[in-house]
Amino acid sequence: MKIVIIGNGMVGYKFCEKLLAKQHQHPLELIVFGEEMRPAYDRVHLSEYFAGKTADELTLAPATWYAEKGIRLHLGDPVQTIDRAHKTVHCFSGITESYDYLIMATGSSAFVPPIPGVEKQGVFIYRTIEDLEMMAAYARHVKKGAVIGGGLLGLEAAKAMLDLGIADTQVIEFAPRLMPRQIDEAGSHTLRTKLEALGLHIRTNTNTTAILGDDHITGMQFADDSTIDVDMLVISAGIKPRDEVAKLCGLETGHRGGIVVNDHLQTNDPSIFAIGECALHKGMIYGLVAPGYEMADVVATNLTGGAKSFTGYDMSTKLKLIGVDVASFGEPFVSPKDGRSIVWEDTLKGVYKRINISNDGKQLLGGILVGDAEQYNMLLQTCKNKVILPPNPEDIILGERGGSGDAGAGVTSLPDEALICSCEGISKKMICDAVSEQGHETVDAIKKCTKAGTGCGGCVPMLKDLVTHTLKAQGKYVRNVLCEHFQYSRQELFDLVKIHDLKSYDAALDKLGNGDGCEVCKPAIASIIASLWNEMILQRGNATAQDSNDRFLANIQKGGTYSVVPRIPGGEITPEKLIVIGQVAQKYHLYTKITGGQRIDLFGAHVSDLPAIWEALIAAGFESGHAYGKALRTVKSCVGSTWCRFGLHDSVSFAIRIEERYRGLRAPHKLKSAVSGCIRECAEAQSKDFGIIATEKGWNLYVCGNGGSKPQHALLLATDLDSETCIRYIDRFLMFYIKTADPLTRTATWLNKMEGGISYLKNVVVHDSLGIAEQLEAEMQVLVDNYKCEWKEVVDNPELRKRFNHFVNAPEEKDPTVQFEPMRSQKRATEWK
C-alpha cells in the first residue's frame, strides 16, 4: 500500500507515527512532502522559541527518524498539482509520485486582513519558525509594537513581542472583548486586567483601517481616525485552511475554505483523505492539535483494517497566556433555559471561575477558568464523563472546605474509559494497565509507552496521580524523589542532612547527590538546612543556592528595586518607631504602604542601600520581617481585651509572644498566623496556616488554612487550651509539617494530601500517636534558641555587606538603569523596558 502525505506539520507527522504503529501485516510505502525546509516541529509551544528553546528542541522527530522508518521525506518541496485520474502528485522540484491513498495534511495559514499597508517592512505573521527568526532580527531596534488579534494566537504573539524585549506592546482586537470564542465578558475583563497589569495595552472594539509609513511601518490608523505609533506589527487574527491544491484538482471545499470530508475523513474522492486544520467536517474547522491527532488516528485505523469514525471533537482548551492561566471546557456559554451558572470571582488576585450546571444540579455542562486553572483536568473529566455533582456543586471550584482528602482520589474515581490525554486519545485504563501490567512506573515511562502527556502537556498532573495510585493499589512504595540530582524525597533528605550533620548545599550534594544540581534542588536543600540549623543563610557558601529573594534578604520588585519589610510583631508599634520608618523612607526615597499583615512595606530600595536601611531600622529596635523567605511572615492580631469590650483575652500580647517565638522559622512554604480575641474573628485566624481564637476557657487552635487564589478554612485542632499547651501544640504541628511536607507545599495542601486528614494530624499533635511529641518540641526549641536577625548579621559583617554592592569596584555607585516616576505624592520604579 503506497500512501502519499501532503504536509509535514504536527498532524502529518502524527499520522505517520500512528499508521506505523497500527500496521503489522502488509508492507507500507510512505512518501511525505513538506513545504518547509525543516521536519515537523511543535507549533503548540512555538512561543518558547523566544524563551530559549531551540528549533531542534521543538522538532518532533529528526530527519533520521523518517529514514529509519522507511519514510521518504521531501522537505522544501510542496505538491503543486494532483492528478486524480492517474492517482499521481506533481511537486515543485519536478518529482511525480503515484499513490494508492493520498492524505491531505496541508494545515492552515495565517489569515491576513485586507488592510492597506500590510506589505510594509516590519509587518509579520506569527506561524512558523522562520517567521519568528525574522521577527527576532527586526525587533532589535524596535521600541513600540502591536498585535492585531486578541484571540489565542494573538495573545501568544503578544507574549512573543514581550519576550523580544518590546515592553510597549498593544493588542488590537476587533471584537468587544479578548478571546470571544472561549471566555465570557466577565472572564475576559479579568484576563484584560491581568494582562494590563503586566504592561500590555489592550484595545477592543477597534478596527484597523491602514498601516502607516513609507517602506517601513511607522503607525496604525483605526476606523475612528485615531492613530498610534508602531515600529513593528504582528498579524495573528486567525487562520484559513490550506486548500489551494485541493481546489485545483476538483475536491469539494467549503465556501469559506476547507476540504469537505465525511465521518471517515474521506473527501469526495474515496482515495483522498483530509486531516487537521485543512479538513472541513460538518461545517467545522478544528484549529487545535488534539482534534487533528484524533483525525490522524481515524484514518490510520481505517487504512489498516479497523473501523473508526470522526464524530466531532470537544474544543476544551487550557493554556498559559503571558503567565496567566486561561481555560474553557464543555459548553462555556449556557443560556438560562439550558442550565444555571455558578460564578466565583476574586478581583484582588485576578481569578475568575464559572461553571455551568444542568437545571437539576446533577451534571457539569462546561465552564471558564481565568487566573487559576489548576482544577481544569478534573472539571473536564467530570464534564465529559457525566460524573454526578456533589450536593454543593460550588465545591468543585472552591475546593474541599474541611474534612480529609487524598490527592488524586478524584481521578481514580473516573470510569476506565475516561479520556485522560485528549491529544493522543489515551484512556485512564490504558495508563493504569501500562503501570500494572507493563511495569512502566514513572511519568516519563508512561509518556514513552503511551505518548500520553507529549502533546500539550495539560494531562501530566493526572498521569502522576494515576501512576501513584496504581502503584499504591499494588502495595508498592511510591518514592517522590526531589529531582534527578537527589534520589530521595524531601522527607528523606531532611533526616539524612540531619544525620550527616550537613550544613551547606555543596556538602549535601557531595554526600547525598550527584551532578551539579539544579534550580529545583538548590533552594529545597537550602530550605532544609535552614529549617534544621537556623544558621545565617548566606554563609557556608549557601548564598547561591537560595531563591532570588533570599539571596538579598529582600523582595525584588518590578523595575529592579527591592522592598524592605521590618517585623512588627502583632501589628503593635510605638510612635517613635513609626517616626523612624518615616525618616528612613524620606532619606532613601522609598514608597510606603501598609500591608494586609499589619506591617509597613518600604518599596524602591537600591540593592546597595539595603544594609544602610537595615542598620537604621535595627538601631530603632526593628528586625527582619522575613517577607522574602519561605518562613513565618506575620502573626496578625485584633486589639483583644486590652481595648475591645468584646475581647476575652489579650490577643495582642499572645500574638507578639507567638511571632517572637517563631520568627525566622524556615519551612517548605511561607507561614502566616493570627490571634483573635473573640469569636468575632477580626484577625481572620481561620484563614491562616495556624490561627488562635480566644474562648471563655482559653484558646482554640486552628490549622492548615490559607487565603490566596485557592482559599481554605483552617480546621479545629484543639479547644480551650491554656497558653503553654497551645504553644506546645504549635511547636509539634510546625515541626511535623517542616519534616514531612514536600517542597513549596502550603499547610492546607499538605493536609489535603495527608492520609487520614485532620483526624490523623490531631492524633500526632494532640494525642502523640507516633511518640515523637517530645522530640518535635525539643527540635523547635533548638531553632528558637538559634535565632538571629539576618539583617543584623549582614550589617555587622563587612564581608556579607560586600554582597550588596551593585558594582564591586565602585561600591558607592547605584544601578544607573533604575529610574523612578512620580505617583500620588510618592514615587515608583519605572517599568523595565
Side-chain angles (χ1 to χ4, degrees), residues 442-485:
T442 66
V443 172
D444 285 342
I446 293 295
K447 286 182 175 182
K448 292 177 182 177
C449 171
T450 66
K451 294 290 184 179
T454 60
C456 70
C459 63
V460 170
M462 300 181 82
L463 297 183
K464 184 177 180 181
D465 285 339
L466 283 173
V467 170
T468 299
H469 281 269
T470 305
L471 289 174
K472 283 185 177 180
Q474 294 178 303
K476 293 186 177 181
Y477 172 55
V478 181
R479 298 187 70 211
N480 184 22
V481 298
L482 186 64
C483 72
E484 61 186 285
H485 303 106

Side-chain angles (χ1 to χ4, degrees), residues 115-117 207-212 219-223:
I115 304 169
N207 182 20
T208 305
T209 55
I211 296 170
L212 308 177
M220 300 171 65
Q221 183 171 351
F222 306 115

Side-chain angles (χ1 to χ4, degrees), residues 522-755:
K522 286 181 180 179
I525 296 295
S527 172
I528 288 172
I529 291 170
S531 295
L532 278 169
W533 316 119
N534 207 8
E535 293 184 349
M536 174 58 179
I537 63 172
L538 300 184
Q539 293 180 328
R540 297 182 184 268
N542 288 326
T544 56
Q546 306 295 336
D547 281 320
S548 56
N549 290 333
D550 283 300
R551 295 182 189 185
F552 295 99
L553 308 181
N555 286 327
I556 188 169
Q557 305 292 348
K558 293 166 70 175
T561 61
Y562 291 79
S563 64
V564 176
V565 187
R567 187 171 300 285
I568 303 177
E572 182 181 80
I573 188 168
T574 64
E576 290 77 14
K577 283 188 173 183
L578 280 173
I579 290 169
V580 170
I581 287 179
Q583 290 171 338
V584 169
Q586 285 183 329
K587 180 176 180 180
Y588 294 97
H589 309 290
L590 305 176
Y591 171 95
T592 56
K593 185 183 182 303
I594 296 175
T595 73
Q598 299 180 337
R599 302 198 288 192
I600 298 174
D601 206 338
L602 309 172
F603 291 89
H606 286 272
V607 67
S608 56
D609 284 338
L610 289 174
I613 292 171
W614 298 337
E615 189 169 14
L617 292 172
I618 290 167
F622 289 105
E623 60 185 3
S624 168
H626 288 89
Y628 48 82
K630 302 295 186 289
L632 178 73
R633 297 289 177 84
T634 64
V635 181
K636 192 174 179 179
S637 74
C638 65
V639 295
S641 60
T642 306
W643 294 98
C644 179
R645 58 195 176 94
F646 299 110
L648 298 175
H649 302 306
D650 183 357
S651 56
V652 178
S653 295
F654 199 40
I656 293 172
R657 182 180 177 187
I658 295 294
E659 185 159 350
E660 291 183 342
R661 179 170 181 80
Y662 302 115
R663 59 190 171 183
L665 178 67
R666 300 278 169 163
H669 212 299
K670 64 184 177 184
L671 295 166
K672 294 183 178 182
S673 181
V675 181
S676 286
C678 71
I679 197 59
R680 287 169 177 79
E681 252 282 70
C682 294
E684 301 167 327
Q686 292 178 83
S687 66
K688 308 301 182 187
D689 294 282
F690 61 102
I692 304 162
I693 301 177
T695 69
E696 294 284 352
K697 300 179 181 179
W699 306 98
N700 282 353
L701 177 59
Y702 293 80
V703 295
C704 301
N706 66 250
S709 61
K710 293 181 283 294
Q712 181 168 315
H713 269 97
L715 303 180
L716 183 62
L717 185 72
T719 60
D720 297 328
L721 304 174
D722 62 74
S723 297
E724 299 303 323
T725 303
C726 185
I727 288 175
R728 288 206 313 275
Y729 285 178
I730 296 172
D731 283 355
R732 299 175 189 179
F733 162 71
L734 289 176
M735 282 308 305
F736 190 55
Y737 162 65
I738 290 170
K739 290 165 75 76
T740 61
D742 287 332
L744 302 179
T745 301
R746 289 293 297 269
T747 57
T749 305
W750 171 67
L751 179 63
N752 292 341
K753 292 184 176 182
M754 186 182 294
E755 294 187 12

Side-chain angles (χ1 to χ4, degrees), residues 7 20 36 53 64 85 116 127 144 151 171 184 292 310 381 509 603 617 622 706 777 792:
L20 292 171
E36 294 186 56
K53 207 163 191 177
T64 53
R127 195 70 183 154
K144 297 183 178 182
V171 175
D184 60 13
F310 183 82
Q381 296 297 335
L509 185 64
F603 291 89
L617 292 172
F622 289 105
N706 66 250
E777 292 174 25
K792 192 172 190 303

Side-chain angles (χ1 to χ4, degrees), residues 257-270:
I259 306 169
V260 176
V261 294
N262 59 21
D263 287 351
H264 296 296
L265 288 316
Q266 284 176 307
T267 66
N268 55 311
D269 184 327

